[in-house]
Amino acid sequence: MTADTIAAPRAPHETPRPRGRGRNLEKLGWLYMRISGVLLVVLIFGHLFVNLMLGEGIHGIDFAFVAGKFASPFWQWWDVLMLWLALIHGANGMRTIVNDYVTGATTRKVLVWALWIAAGFLILLGTLVVFTFDPCLGVDSSTTDWLIEKCAAG
Ligand code: HEM
């Protein structure tokens, strides 16, 4: 088989690993895309349904709406799960595309590293935002009346 021929789908790998030695990271990545895809359908459509269709729908979305959601551990974990799964899914999907299309080994390495660094940074930042969010931080007389009242009430 030459380099530009695609192998038959079920053809054995040309250089098989010795049985049981080393983990097959590519297979884990392939599985991750399917499993996270299924979970993301539930998480993303649940998120869209609750935010856009229940209650006042899109017109009800403001600072108080977000503060209300982040006050609940259930929605904190829902959002963090969505964040982690989608960012790892997106980065791993982009890694596949980079590996498929970028022919230079150095460029490929740089791009794949950049992908994981960007995803890691966004996961860290997003997780911190969700779990440390405090609607009363910086609330003073310049803030909206209802927010001053709410925060003063504890
Ligand atoms: C409704 C939720 C989603 C489902 C069910 C889903 C499902 C999938 C599946 C099964 C694959 C693998 C395709 C293959 O190997 O041929 C994939 C690839 C990919 N997904 Fe998702 N995904 C979802 C959401 C997302 C999100 C939110 C992002 C971005 C953050 C994303 C970015 C990607 C990328 C970049 C690829 C690689 C495409 C390729 O290999 O050509 N997906 N998705």
Side-chain angles (χ1 to χ4, degrees):
M1 190 183 68
T2 58
D4 52 1
T5 311
I6 296 174
R10 298 205 179 272
H13 198 281
E14 275 184 353
T15 50
R17 283 163 191 273
R19 271 181 92 100
R21 282 197 48 219
R23 265 168 297 154
N24 188 344
L25 274 180
E26 277 309 323
K27 187 172 90 178
L28 284 181
W30 186 92
L31 267 176
Y32 177 83
M33 294 308 273
R34 271 84 197 152
I35 296 167
S36 61
V38 172
L39 294 173
L40 281 169
V41 170
V42 178
L43 291 169
I44 292 174
F45 285 101
H47 167 85
L48 292 176
F49 179 73
V50 169
N51 286 11
L52 305 180
M53 312 211 26
L54 291 187
E56 293 170 63
I58 193 166
H59 303 290
I61 297 183
D62 54 12
F63 184 80
F65 179 86
V66 178
K69 275 188 95 179
F70 281 171
S72 143
F74 177 83
W75 289 117
Q76 281 182 326
W77 281 103
W78 185 291
D79 285 2
V80 157
L81 205 59
M82 198 160 57
L83 176 86
W84 280 66
L85 288 173
L87 272 166
I88 296 171
H89 178 106
N92 195 43
M94 284 306 297
R95 183 189 63 90
T96 307
I97 295 173
V98 166
N99 284 342
D100 279 351
Y101 289 100
V102 180
T103 46
T106 311
T107 317
R108 198 163 58 225
K109 226 177 195 163
V110 168
L111 288 176
V112 170
W113 266 99
L115 275 169
W116 289 123
I117 289 170
F121 180 65
L122 290 173
I123 283 175
L124 185 71
L125 218 58
T127 307
L128 276 174
V129 167
V130 172
F131 288 120
T132 62
F133 179 78
D134 176 359
C136 294
L137 210 68
V139 168
D140 55 29
S141 54
S142 67
T143 322
T144 343
D145 284 351
W146 64 263
L147 197 54
I148 297 176
E149 278 167 31
K150 269 249 176 330
C151 292

